[in-house]
Amino acid sequence: MQIHNSVISISVSGGQSINDGRWHQIMVKNEGDSVVLELDGAELLTLSQVSHAILGHPFLEMRIAVGGLLIPWKDLIIPMNTAMDGCLRRWNWLNTSSSWLEGTALDGEGTKGCFPSIHRGSFFPGGGLASFLLSGLPSGLSANNESWALAVEVSFSASPQKGVILAVSPAELAPILSLKLEDTDVVAQLGDKTVLQSPLPVGACPALALLLRVNSSELTLHLGPHVTSESIREAEFEALRRLWLSGEGRLFLGGLPGQGDTPLTQEGSFFRGCLHEIRVQGLMLDLDSAQYRSNAIWAYSCPGNESLGLSGTDGDAKLGGKGEVSPTLAASPLPS
């Protein structure tokens, strides 16, 4: 809870974590010269002698944002990413109905329904991708000048499909390295010729651990306990190494650029499923730091096992972790 006015600037936090995938009721009240925060009916934080009562001092204009802030994050007392990924319902601002909402994004393009239950991870619904500039990722070069290698670790859950999990590509060109699902197989490809294939386990699996490594001599794919490897050509390795160290390409998650209207469509479709963890050269990727992320992607929320599709509830609104709408308040379940 942050307060900034003519009297004081203060930021306070406390209490238990509420990013547990469950619904919580949050209430913020300005009573006299105190601001009170209640969680699930219990008083959690109280700040006294910091403000005047809002309703006792009419404003010509008041702006209310939900799911983000209307000021730059750098202007906060403690700078932080304020974009929320989660669901809100049963909104009530200043004891007023929601009929006065203006400038909201709740009915706009990319609006999502809410899952009955969620857990941690990034959900790709099969219609969007995220990309990272290679210049912002670790080079993989060591201080003792050992030979360069690339390591990608992914924990994922998905049903059999044709979809791109990950790809390394120069600009809008075909990928140099790709990792994708081909029905019941995981397929890794380097260049035009080197291809590794490993079958998905039979039956339901909550999450599969995958490790893809490329060094100067071979391409290796670890899928659970199974390991496959293939010798690679020097030219294939050098093309990947040069691109990565130049920082001029991009790393794609969940699909490839131009899918649907370019020849890249032949490389695969958008991935549908959950990426629970993505590490590249040892760095955990955060989708909030992506150069681009489709609004279709849930950055920090994956559906529960019973929720393979979107299941909306009257009055629920999904906030995708990329911005704010401008109306009311409510409860919030969100891993962030």
Side-chain angles (χ1 to χ4, degrees):
M1 181 164 62
Q2 174 172 294
I3 295 174
H4 171 73
N5 56 31
S6 59
V7 180
I8 196 170
S9 293
I10 188 170
S11 180
V12 180
S13 62
Q16 71 271 31
S17 172
I18 61 170
N19 58 345
D20 53 11
R22 300 174 182 175
W23 288 103
H24 296 281
Q25 179 65 47
I26 298 174
M27 179 178 291
V28 180
K29 299 184 292 184
N30 183 208
E31 297 181 329
D33 61 356
S34 297
V35 175
V36 180
L37 173 64
E38 292 185 0
L39 175 65
D40 297 330
E43 188 173 300
L44 184 64
L45 293 173
T46 300
L47 300 179
S48 299
Q49 298 181 350
V50 297
S51 177
H52 298 290
I54 292 176
L55 297 181
H57 296 265
F59 293 88
L60 296 177
E61 177 180 315
M62 177 183 292
R63 298 189 302 164
I64 297 175
V66 175
L69 293 180
L70 299 173
I71 62 174
W73 66 270
K74 293 182 180 179
D75 292 345
L76 295 173
I77 300 171
I78 301 177
M80 65 183 74
N81 174 22
T82 62
M84 171 183 165
D85 188 292
C87 275
L88 302 178
R89 68 182 181 188
R90 300 173 188 167
W91 302 20
N92 183 2
W93 270 112
L94 305 180
N95 299 320
T96 304
S97 72
S98 58
S99 60
W100 57 277
L101 305 186
E102 294 181 4
T104 75
L106 297 182
D107 299 321
E109 183 179 354
T111 300
K112 307 178 183 74
C114 291
F115 296 120
S117 65
I118 59 176
H119 56 84
R120 292 181 182 275
S122 299
F123 179 56
F124 290 72
L129 58 82
S131 66
F132 293 81
L133 295 174
L134 296 186
S135 58
L137 301 178
S139 68
L141 290 174
S142 59
N144 55 7
N145 293 322
E146 293 179 354
S147 59
W148 180 84
L150 175 63
V152 177
E153 302 169 74
V154 180
S155 175
F156 73 97
S157 55
S159 58
Q161 60 185 278
K162 293 184 183 294
V164 175
I165 299 175
L166 176 146
V168 178
S169 174
E172 302 290 327
L173 302 178
I176 291 179
L177 176 69
S178 64
L179 180 65
K180 53 192 173 182
L181 291 177
E182 289 284 353
D183 297 322
T184 58
D185 294 319
V186 175
V187 177
Q189 181 170 344
L190 177 65
D192 296 327
K193 301 197 178 286
T194 304
V195 179
L196 290 181
Q197 190 165 321
S198 184
L200 292 170
V202 178
C205 182
L208 287 170
L210 183 152
L211 170 62
L212 180 66
R213 290 185 59 87
V214 187
N215 59 31
S216 59
S217 60
E218 63 182 6
L219 175 67
T220 305
L221 176 63
H222 299 250
L223 183 61
H226 302 288
V227 181
T228 55
S229 61
E230 184 74 32
S231 298
I232 61 177
R233 297 181 300 169
E234 181 180 357
E236 293 175 330
F237 174 76
E238 281 301 314
L240 177 63
R241 188 184 71 87
R242 283 195 303 269
L243 176 65
W244 195 277
L245 296 181
S246 72
E248 296 179 355
R250 287 189 287 173
L251 173 74
F252 295 97
L253 297 177
L256 293 170
Q259 286 186 188
D261 54 9
T262 77
L264 284 183
T265 305
Q266 301 172 6
E267 297 288 343
S269 303
F270 290 114
F271 169 75
R272 176 178 173 81
C274 247
L275 300 184
H276 304 283
E277 187 173 290
I278 314 106
R279 290 183 183 272
V280 177
Q281 303 292 55
L283 174 70
M284 176 83 76
L285 296 188
D286 181 353
L287 265 70
D288 275 337
S289 63
Q291 179 230 5
Y292 168 79
R293 188 183 92 220
S294 167
N295 188 52
I297 298 170
W298 294 47
Y300 302 110
S301 308
C302 279
N305 294 333
E306 77 283 4
S307 309
L308 297 180
L310 290 172
S311 179
T313 303
D314 289 345
D316 291 4
K318 175 67 181 69
L319 302 180
K322 294 290 280 186
E324 70 285 323
V325 297
S326 303
T328 51
L329 190 146
S332 56
L334 54 154
S336 67

